């Protein structure tokens, strides 16, 4: 089974801090994604990547950046955390066509105080 | 109109009941469809793909109606363990990229 591992399950950070969320997948998937999930808003795509060094903005990229230096690792960076970035962050990966669905990591619940 | 719409529920059903959820999508060019299940405070997990011919996995049946642009999930003989939020996913392939849209989910609560 594909395994997607997110480095932290719970994080508490202060406003203005730089925050790194790490995601690693072990199935050699080309595609990796970062979502945030908020009550009533569902899953919203922040950034995605279809290859090493490649990144594309999703629907809500403001305040975030990403890094994909290796195929298995996709990092989400909050340049200067703000309270409105308190959320559940989910990383996912998929095969190129995506026709076998997406596998999600267990999520990081980030609280910015 | 939202790209993907689901009734948020909650659907409260007794054990053993049959329940169905629909999910409508706005782009007729959408090509792949899935149902995911998400338990409280957990990540979404793939439940099943949805094919034009329909597909069945035990008590679960998924169908696609392209003419009316919706997918459905039918759960027969509901179990307490089916209580979760069910998300539909619609994928559009365009210009070499996938545009993946998640519904906001339908909450199911199966009652003893």
């Amino acid at each position: 089974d594909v395994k997607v591992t997110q480095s932290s399950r719970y994080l508490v950070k202060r406003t203005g801090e730089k925050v790194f969320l790490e995601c690693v997948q072990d199935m050699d998937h080309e595609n990796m994604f970062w979502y945030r999930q908020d009550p009533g808003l569902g899953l919203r795509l922040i950034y995605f990547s279809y290859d090493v060094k490649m990144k594309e903005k999703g629907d809500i990229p403001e305040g975030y950046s990403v890094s994909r230096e290796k195929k298995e690792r996709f990092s989400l960076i909050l340049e200067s955390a703000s309270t409105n970035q308190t959320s559940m962050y989910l990383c996912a990966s998929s095969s190129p066509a995506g026709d076998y669905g997406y596998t999600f990591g267990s999520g990081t619940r980030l609280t910015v105080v | 109109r939202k790209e993907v719409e689901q009734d948020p529920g909650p659907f409260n059903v007794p054990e053993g009941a049959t329940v169905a959820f629909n999910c409508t999508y706005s782009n007729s060019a959408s090509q792949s469809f899935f149902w995911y299940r998400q338990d409280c405070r957990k990540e979404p997990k793939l439940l099943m793909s949805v094919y034009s011919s329909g597909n069945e996995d035990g008590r679960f049946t998924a169908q696609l109606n392209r003419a009316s642009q919706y997918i459905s999930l039918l759960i027969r003989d509901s179990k307490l363990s089916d209580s979760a939020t069910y998300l539909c996913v619609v994928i559009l392939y365009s210009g070499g990229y996938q545009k993946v849209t998640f519904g906001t989910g339908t909450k199911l609560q199966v009652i003893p």
Side-chain angles (χ1 to χ4, degrees):
Chain A
D1 281 349
V2 177
K3 190 169 181 183
V4 179
T5 303
Q6 292 184 232
S7 54
S8 304
R9 193 66 194 268
Y10 298 95
L11 273 179
V12 180
K13 296 292 182 180
R14 294 193 180 277
T15 300
E17 275 193 80
K18 191 168 186 175
V19 182
F20 292 86
L21 302 183
E22 305 288 344
C23 175
V24 177
Q25 50 96 3
D26 65 1
M27 282 299 289
D28 203 34
H29 278 173
E30 283 77 6
N31 303 343
M32 296 188 76
F33 308 84
W34 274 106
Y35 290 88
R36 64 177 282 176
Q37 187 175 32
D38 301 285
L41 297 177
L43 282 153
R44 293 182 290 168
L45 181 63
I46 304 171
Y47 268 95
F48 61 98
S49 169
Y50 287 158
D51 203 351
V52 177
K53 305 266 187 200
M54 179 268 182
K55 58 186 179 185
E56 290 288 338
K57 293 180 180 179
D59 300 317
I60 52 163
E62 296 76 20
Y64 303 94
S65 63
V66 290
S67 171
R68 192 151 181 215
E69 296 295 318
K70 293 184 178 181
K71 190 175 186 179
E72 66 271 19
R73 187 180 297 270
F74 191 36
S75 304
L76 180 70
I77 303 153
L78 285 65
E79 298 291 344
S80 177
S82 63
T83 54
N84 64 11
Q85 292 178 309
T86 292
S87 186
M88 167 70 97
Y89 289 87
L90 289 156
C91 175
S93 76
S94 77
S95 59
D99 48 353
Y100 295 106
Y102 289 64
T103 301
F104 285 87
S106 54
T108 296
R109 189 166 292 278
L110 173 67
T111 302
V112 183
V113 298
Chain B
R1 182 183 173 187
K2 281 186 180 178
E3 291 183 63
V4 177
E5 290 196 76
Q6 292 184 255
D7 182 340
F11 284 55
N12 297 313
V13 303
E15 269 186 293
T18 295
V19 62
F21 313 130
N22 283 342
C23 168
T24 59
Y25 60 95
S26 60
N27 193 324
S28 60
S30 300
Q31 293 158 283
S32 296
F33 308 88
F34 301 91
W35 282 103
Y36 277 73
R37 172 197 168 121
Q38 186 172 24
D39 294 296
C40 188
R41 296 188 172 272
K42 296 285 184 73
E43 73 274 23
K45 292 188 177 178
L46 180 63
L47 180 64
M48 57 199 306
S49 304
V50 187
Y51 306 119
S52 297
S53 55
N55 52 313
E56 189 173 311
D57 183 4
R59 298 180 294 108
F60 297 82
T61 301
Q63 294 204 310
L64 166 64
N65 185 318
R66 285 196 182 273
S68 301
Q69 292 180 212
Y70 72 88
I71 62 172
S72 63
L73 179 67
L74 180 79
I75 306 175
R76 290 180 296 277
D77 189 23
S78 298
K79 311 290 184 192
L80 295 176
S81 57
D82 294 334
S83 298
T85 296
Y86 292 84
L87 308 172
C88 65
V89 178
V90 176
I91 301 180
L92 173 68
Y93 300 96
S94 176
Y97 291 115
Q98 306 165 23
K99 180 171 170 55
V100 181
T101 306
F102 285 81
T104 53
T106 298
K107 188 171 183 178
L108 171 66
Q109 185 69 48
V110 181
I111 305 163

